[in-house]
């Protein structure tokens, strides 16, 4: 399971007359992250700074940040720390700053850059990306109602139902929980269900 933003977003705020524009984008490779950073730098080439941070991989294996001219440790690292603290991955953040004439100091810069990323994340919302596996449940007609109720009570939506000589119900369950589900179904219905594992897919679930 990985957690990332629901969608790409741009969030702008003004702090002591400086404009801070946070761009968040979903990416899956370091190359894509760097391409996005460069595109923002071109788009905002007149800005004083285009500070960046990104995390890539299921367990944030790749982590990078750049202060882009701000005092060392006051911009890129605080942005990266927000991504790490909130356990977000496959995400690049670029905060563009147009200087307004009032210096913020080291503490003010840290709060501004970290806050900009935090506020943008809150504005767009998060999703978790979960791998699910198809499970086909083959049964006699007499079991259909009870099995359907059981699946509903377990929080599983029925994706498809096929009625021929028997009934086949298709559900998608979190892969990590599939073996337990099979055991529960076998026990609950005394081995009268034929269970067949199908394809896997990635599903986004709002947090």
């Amino acid at each position: 399971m990985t957690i990332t933003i629901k969608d790409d977003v741009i969030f702008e705020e003004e702090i002591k007359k400086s404009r801070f524009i946070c761009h968040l984008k979903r990416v899956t490779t370091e190359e894509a992250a760097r391409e996005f950073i460069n595109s923002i730098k071109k788009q905002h080439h007149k800005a004083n700074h285009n500070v960046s941070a990104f995390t890539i991989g299921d367990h944030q294996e790749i982590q990078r940040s750049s202060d882009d001219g701000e005092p060392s440790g006051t911009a890129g690292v605080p942005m990266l720390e927000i991504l790490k603290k909130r356990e977000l991955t496959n995400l690049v953040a670029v905060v563009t700053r147009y200087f307004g004439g009032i210096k913020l100091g080291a503490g003010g810069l840290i709060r501004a850059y970290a806050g900009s990323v935090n506020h943008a994340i809150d504005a767009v919302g998060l999703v978790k990306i979960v791998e699910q596996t198809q499970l086909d449940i083959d049964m006699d007609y007499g079991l259909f109602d009870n099995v359907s109720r059981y699946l509903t009570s377990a929080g599983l939506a029925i994706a498809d139902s096929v009625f021929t000589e028997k009934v086949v119900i298709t559900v998608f369950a979190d892969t990590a929980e599939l073996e337990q589900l099979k055991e529960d179904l076998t026990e609950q219905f005394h081995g009268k269900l034929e269970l067949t594992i199908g394809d896997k897919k990635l599903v986004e679930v709002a947090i």
Side-chain angles (χ1 to χ4, degrees):
M1 181 188 75
T2 59
I3 302 175
T4 191
I5 52 173
K6 189 181 297 183
D7 206 349
D8 299 344
V9 68
I10 301 172
F11 182 88
E12 181 174 343
E13 59 187 338
E14 184 177 304
I15 301 172
K16 292 187 177 179
K17 297 188 177 180
S18 282
R19 284 175 64 205
F20 288 85
I21 308 167
C22 181
H23 303 78
L24 298 181
K25 183 175 178 62
R26 288 171 57 162
V27 292
T28 54
T29 65
E30 184 169 355
E31 181 184 14
R34 294 197 182 282
E35 284 179 2
F36 181 70
I37 293 166
N38 288 333
S39 73
I40 297 301
K41 285 185 173 182
K42 287 179 183 177
Q43 182 182 338
H44 291 281
H45 63 277
K46 292 183 179 179
N48 299 83
H49 308 280
N50 287 290
V51 178
S52 60
F54 59 85
T55 54
I56 307 287
D58 289 345
H59 303 287
Q60 299 180 321
E61 291 89 348
I62 299 173
Q63 302 177 5
R64 303 281 186 271
S65 66
S66 168
D67 292 314
D68 194 44
E70 291 282 27
S72 179
T74 64
V77 170
M79 288 166 54
L80 180 61
E81 287 302 315
I82 293 296
L83 302 184
K84 290 164 61 178
K85 182 180 178 182
R86 299 187 69 160
E87 300 181 336
L88 305 181
T89 191
N90 294 344
L91 170 63
V92 56
V94 183
V95 176
T96 299
R97 182 190 183 192
Y98 286 90
F99 183 55
I102 300 175
K103 292 186 176 182
L104 300 180
L109 287 172
I110 291 169
R111 285 191 297 274
Y113 281 103
S116 184
V117 173
N118 235 344
H119 297 154
I121 292 168
D122 289 340
V124 72
L126 301 176
V127 292
K128 60 180 178 179
I129 301 175
V130 181
E131 183 186 77
Q132 293 190 337
T133 299
Q134 178 179 332
L135 182 66
D136 293 330
I137 308 168
D138 195 318
M139 73 202 78
D140 292 329
Y141 273 73
L143 291 171
F144 175 71
D145 287 342
N146 286 338
V147 172
S148 296
R149 277 196 292 271
Y150 181 84
L151 293 171
T152 300
S153 69
L156 294 167
I158 295 174
D160 194 19
S161 302
V162 178
F163 299 88
T164 52
E165 297 85 13
K166 288 189 171 184
V167 184
V168 180
I169 291 178
T170 298
V171 297
F172 284 89
D174 291 358
T175 301
E177 300 172 3
L178 187 65
E179 287 306 315
Q180 186 62 53
L181 174 62
K182 288 170 62 183
E183 287 180 21
D184 292 346
L185 285 168
T186 299
E187 180 181 344
Q188 183 73 22
F189 296 96
H190 312 292
K192 294 179 181 178
L193 306 178
E194 184 180 329
L195 306 175
T196 306
I197 294 175
D199 296 333
K200 291 178 170 55
K201 67 176 182 178
L202 293 177
V203 178
E204 295 187 10
V205 181
I207 298 176

